[in-house]
Amino acid sequence: MSKIVIRGCLEDPNPIQLGLIREIHEVLTARSIPHWLGGGWALDFLLGESLRVHSDIDWAIWKTDAPTVSTCLEALGYSRKELRHPEEHIGFYKLDQFVSFGLLEKTQSRDIVTSGRWTDWPYPQGAFSAPEGRLGDLTCPILSAEAQLDEKVNFHKHPAGAPLRDVDSPAIEKLREYIADQRRK
């Protein structure tokens, strides 16, 4: 695994981020706030192994829970980061690590979408009912493998998206393998 610089010294941020994932999961669970790990960490928890160094932590929560999530995290020492599209995400920093929360809502047709520019892209059925993922001794709700694959394959095609990154192609391959293996069982 490659290393990155944090606070002027060479460190692997994954242990720090895993601690933050644990902390956030515990506080949101204690408050009965539904939450799902997304992004690269969701893939790691799905497969049960850390595949790469992560630059951030992505979560999904219901938009209506955002004020309570903000209050909980600020009480734990997280600093709020103003984002360009606050109707879509809220963001925080702690220990020099960025944590974001995509804000979910239901459309009139009962599809689940991320608010803002993403309301035309519904999550696949079952995206939020996958079994919890596990990494080491930590279990956590995650986006389903199908939802993760849909995000990776189609994000760059959406008008608000961005080009595929170097980490996306290996993730797409791993997700396709995982889904194929699950279908064979």
Side-chain angles (χ1 to χ4, degrees), residues 12-50:
D12 176 354
N14 283 7
I16 296 167
Q17 290 183 13
L18 277 168
L20 297 178
I21 290 169
R22 181 183 303 276
E23 180 176 68
I24 291 167
H25 172 57
E26 287 175 358
V27 73
L28 297 184
T29 299
R31 296 292 301 262
S32 299
I33 297 171
H35 57 285
W36 298 268
L37 196 55
W41 279 112
L43 178 58
D44 288 3
F45 273 72
L46 177 75
L47 300 177
E49 63 178 307
S50 185

Side-chain angles (χ1 to χ4, degrees), residues 121-138:
W121 185 8
Y123 283 90
Q125 289 294 325
F128 302 97
S129 58
E132 287 192 334
R134 174 182 288 278
L135 193 56
D137 68 341
L138 179 57

Side-chain angles (χ1 to χ4, degrees), residues 5 26 33 38 46 51 55 76-77 109 111 135 140 153 169-170 181:
V5 175
E26 287 175 358
I33 297 171
L46 177 75
L51 299 175
S55 60
L76 291 171
S109 61
D111 289 326
L135 193 56
C140 190
V153 169
S169 293
D181 287 347

Side-chain angles (χ1 to χ4, degrees), residues 5-183:
V5 175
I6 298 176
R7 291 189 187 174
C9 62
L10 200 58
E11 271 187 56
D12 176 354
N14 283 7
I16 296 167
Q17 290 183 13
L18 277 168
L20 297 178
I21 290 169
R22 181 183 303 276
E23 180 176 68
I24 291 167
H25 172 57
E26 287 175 358
V27 73
L28 297 184
T29 299
R31 296 292 301 262
S32 299
I33 297 171
H35 57 285
W36 298 268
L37 196 55
W41 279 112
L43 178 58
D44 288 3
F45 273 72
L46 177 75
L47 300 177
E49 63 178 307
S50 185
L51 299 175
R52 64 179 175 89
V53 172
H54 297 277
S55 60
D56 62 2
I57 304 166
D58 300 305
W59 294 92
I61 59 170
W62 292 107
K63 188 173 189 172
T64 55
D65 289 326
T68 305
V69 169
S70 294
T71 300
C72 290
L73 294 186
E74 289 167 359
L76 291 171
Y78 288 78
S79 301
R80 183 79 181 259
K81 164 75 172 155
E82 291 305 317
L83 302 179
R84 235 172 81 195
H85 299 283
E87 70 282 2
E88 299 170 5
H89 294 88
I90 55 174
F92 301 87
Y93 276 98
K94 186 171 182 181
L95 302 174
D96 292 331
Q97 304 302 305
F98 182 63
V99 182
S100 71
F101 294 81
L103 304 178
L104 304 174
E105 61 185 7
K106 286 189 180 178
T107 64
Q108 288 182 339
S109 61
R110 309 302 294 160
D111 289 326
I112 298 174
V113 297
T114 299
S115 299
R117 299 169 297 158
W118 306 97
T119 58
D120 62 342
W121 185 8
Y123 283 90
Q125 289 294 325
F128 302 97
S129 58
E132 287 192 334
R134 174 182 288 278
L135 193 56
D137 68 341
L138 179 57
T139 59
C140 190
I142 60 172
L143 292 176
S144 71
E146 292 78 10
Q148 291 181 50
L149 181 60
D150 182 57
E151 252 180 21
K152 295 287 185 198
V153 169
N154 294 311
F155 182 76
H156 74 283
K157 298 175 187 175
H158 192 277
L164 285 174
R165 304 164 301 164
D166 290 342
V167 297
D168 292 327
S169 293
I172 289 168
E173 185 178 323
K174 291 274 188 189
L175 286 162
R176 285 183 172 146
E177 289 172 8
Y178 177 86
I179 291 168
D181 287 347
Q182 295 302 304
R183 288 182 179 153

